[in-house]
């Protein structure tokens, strides 16, 4: 460990880190620069990124096409308010998202963070029913799920989850249940939803993978069952694609594998390629129509200061260009095969409960979470950035990672776990 730069020693006692017990935490690493799949620390060490900056940097860092688009936008206009005015990057982005999402998902509300886009989806769902003259106040959500850190979204996360467990008593009361994984569960779920329909505005789920809840997978049929149950009970379906969107599970959206049309979809993370805070809540035409009225009180009263941020939208448009120009499904398919082959030996290590892979997500789950904290520095020593959490060691590499760099990541996991 070399000398820390001046800005680090001066500033570090003033920052508050995320999800961190500041008293006992190992000090954060000072980052100097990023490039491709590499993060350079201030002392010159390079780490290959196995996490893609919380699953966002799908194209790697400093991609020239995104950088160029942002520089061009910066020359003209970094941002201008979205109230009463619109900007070109935001409108181009809205049209593109509407074109790529299935069915009539075609009204786009662009915000800054994932949590806020989920809040917007929840608010739309509540008001959709208010505007129809129905007071519904609850959401159905699932064990193991994560939708954000704001108070509204915390109330649809898994309440037992270490992250928000403390707040159970003060959060809005919603209806928690298990994701249906068999036909029988699905029938029970449909009956449960029908029984509670008068109170429930929407069912909210992550599609195919519950990410922050521990990278737990489910089949595409689960999503079809949710759609059917929602249709039968006249309840809306919100699908949170913030983690899964843009090829992480192999298809452009995880929902594509189920062939369903949710009522609202939330997007963030890889939307801007991990470059700018940006999110979107995309609603179906029917949702929009419930707000479209001569009565001003039926309007959606939401408008973050930085919504539809022009610079962020320019980054997102460039990120979408890349997804369109190159075959990301093929890239993810290759990553998936390599993760399966190279993580499989971990299954034979002591203390490993399961090894699983979906798309560009590779997971090694341990029997005992207690030793995970101690593993973190071992990865940095091996020149990789891998952040175990709960009871898992996982990889969500940039989708552009090459075979050799990916092998360094999987090799580090095998090595550290003694596989
Ligand atoms: C990360 C994430 C969020 C929250 O997004 P932020 O930008 O961190 O607020 C919500 N839902 C899912 C599925 C996520 O993975």
């Amino acid at each position: 460990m070399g000398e820390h730069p001046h800005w680090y020693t001066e500033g570090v006692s003033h920052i508050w880190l995320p999800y961190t017990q500041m008293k006992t935490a190992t000090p954060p690493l000072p980052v100097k620069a990023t490039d491709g799949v590499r993060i350079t620390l201030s002392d010159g060490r390079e780490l290959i990124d196995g996490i893609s900056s919380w699953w966002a940097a799908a194209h790697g860092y400093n991609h020239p096409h995104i950088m160029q688009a942002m520089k061009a936008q910066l020359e003209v206009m970094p941002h201008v308010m979205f109230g009463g005015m619109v900007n070109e990057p935001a409108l181009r982005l809205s049209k593109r998202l509407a074109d790529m999402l299935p069915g009539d998902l075609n009204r786009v509300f662009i915000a800054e963070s994932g949590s806020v886009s989920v809040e917007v989806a929840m608010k739309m769902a509540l008001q959709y029913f208010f505007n129809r003259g129905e007071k519904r106040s609850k959401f159905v959500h699932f064990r193991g799920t994560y939708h954000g850190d704001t108070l509204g979204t915390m109330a649809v996360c898994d309440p037992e989850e270490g992250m928000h467990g403390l707040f159970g008593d003060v959060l809005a009361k919603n209806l928690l249940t298990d994701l249906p994984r068999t036909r029988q569960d699905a029938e029970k779920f449909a009956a449960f939803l029908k029984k509670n329909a008068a109170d429930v505005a929407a069912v909210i789920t992550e599609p195919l993978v519950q990410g922050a809840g521990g990278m737990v997978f489910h089949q595409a049929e689960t999503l079809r069952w949710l759609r059917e149950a929602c249709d039968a009970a006249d309840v809306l379906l919100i699908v949170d694609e913030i983690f899964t969107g843009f090829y992480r599970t192999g298809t452009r959206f995880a929902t594509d594998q189920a062939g369903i049309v949710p009522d609202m979809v939330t997007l963030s993370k890889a939307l801007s390629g991990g470059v700018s805070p940006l999110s979107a809540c995309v609603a179906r035409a029917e949702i929009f129509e419930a707000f479209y009225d001569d009565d001003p009180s039926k309007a959606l009263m939401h408008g973050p200061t930085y919504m539809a941020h022009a610079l962020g939208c320019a980054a997102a448009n460039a990120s979408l260009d890349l997804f369109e120009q190159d075959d990301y499904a093929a890239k993810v398919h290759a990553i998936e095969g390599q993760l399966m082959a190279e993580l499989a030996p971990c299954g034979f290590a002591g203390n490993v409960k399961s090894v699983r892979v979906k798309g560009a997500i590779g997971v090694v789950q341990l029997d005992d979470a207690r030793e995970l904290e101690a593993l973190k520095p071992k990865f940095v020593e091996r020149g990789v950035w891998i952040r175990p959490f709960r009871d898992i060691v996982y990889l969500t590499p940039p989708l552009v990672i090459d075979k050799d760099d990916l092998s360094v990541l999987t090799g580090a996991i095998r090595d550290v776990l003694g596989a």
Side-chain angles (χ1 to χ4, degrees), residues 55 112-116 118 146-149 206 212 240-243 268-269:
W55 325 333
E112 336 82 318
S113 78
S115 298
V116 170
V118 176
Y146 174 81
H147 295 292
D149 289 348
E206 290 169 273
D240 179 352
E241 290 254 16
I242 290 172
F243 170 40
S268 187
K269 298 204 161 109

Side-chain angles (χ1 to χ4, degrees), residues 6 22 25 29 51 55 57 77 79 87 131 144 156 158 184-185 189 202 212 218 221 225 248 259 361 374:
H6 190 243
M22 299 291 292
L29 301 171
I51 306 301
W55 325 333
M77 172 179 69
H79 183 55
N87 65 72
N131 286 357
V156 289
D158 187 323
Q184 220 177 3
D185 292 349
F189 177 78
H218 57 262
E221 358 175 60
W225 291 327
R248 184 54 66 183
I361 307 167

Side-chain angles (χ1 to χ4, degrees), residues 65-261:
H65 182 65
I66 301 179
M67 303 284 268
Q68 202 281 324
M70 291 181 86
K71 281 177 188 159
Q73 184 59 40
L74 204 50
E75 289 296 323
V76 199
M77 172 179 69
H79 183 55
V80 63
M81 70 185 286
F82 210 63
M85 296 178 152
V86 292
N87 65 72
E88 180 181 347
L91 266 57
R92 287 189 348 104
L93 179 61
S94 302
K95 156 115 180 79
R96 292 174 84 174
L97 292 177
D99 286 348
M100 61 177 58
L101 283 159
D104 58 349
L105 278 160
N106 58 24
R107 278 291 163 171
V108 184
F109 189 101
I110 305 174
E112 336 82 318
S113 78
S115 298
V116 170
S117 69
V118 176
E119 294 278 352
V120 169
M122 293 170 71
K123 199 161 163 182
M124 281 177 179
L126 292 172
Q127 196 178 343
Y128 169 84
F129 287 105
F130 297 161
N131 286 357
R132 284 188 2 183
E134 286 178 61
K135 279 263 179 278
R136 301 196 190 187
S137 61
K138 289 190 167 50
F139 294 88
V140 167
H141 61 121
F142 300 103
R143 281 198 183 79
T145 217
Y146 174 81
H147 295 292
D149 289 348
T150 54
L151 285 165
T153 61
M154 279 162 71
V156 289
C157 289
D158 187 323
E160 312 269 282
E161 232 293 319
M163 245 185 269
H164 303 141
L166 225 49
F167 295 88
D169 290 344
V170 297
L171 294 175
K173 294 282 170 281
N174 290 308
L175 301 175
L176 174 71
T177 184
D178 289 312
L179 267 176
R181 286 166 193 280
T182 63
R183 168 65 53 207
Q184 220 177 3
D185 292 349
E187 280 162 21
K188 272 195 227 150
F189 177 78
F192 162 82
L193 194 62
K194 206 154 214 171
K195 193 173 109 220
N196 291 288
D199 276 338
V200 174
V203 171
I204 180 165
T205 190
E206 290 169 273
L208 301 191
V209 186
Q210 296 178 307
M215 301 290 168
V216 178
F217 306 154
H218 57 262
Q219 301 296 320
E221 358 175 60
T222 290
L223 298 171
R224 288 195 284 274
W225 291 327
L226 296 184
R227 181 69 275 181
E228 283 165 21
C230 286
D231 286 341
D234 186 26
V235 165
L236 300 177
L237 178 62
I238 301 170
V239 172
D240 179 352
E241 290 254 16
I242 290 172
F243 170 40
T244 51
F246 304 106
Y247 297 97
R248 184 54 66 183
T249 69
T251 45
R252 185 156 54 189
F253 302 109
T255 316
D256 295 346
Q257 295 179 42
I260 59 156
V261 183

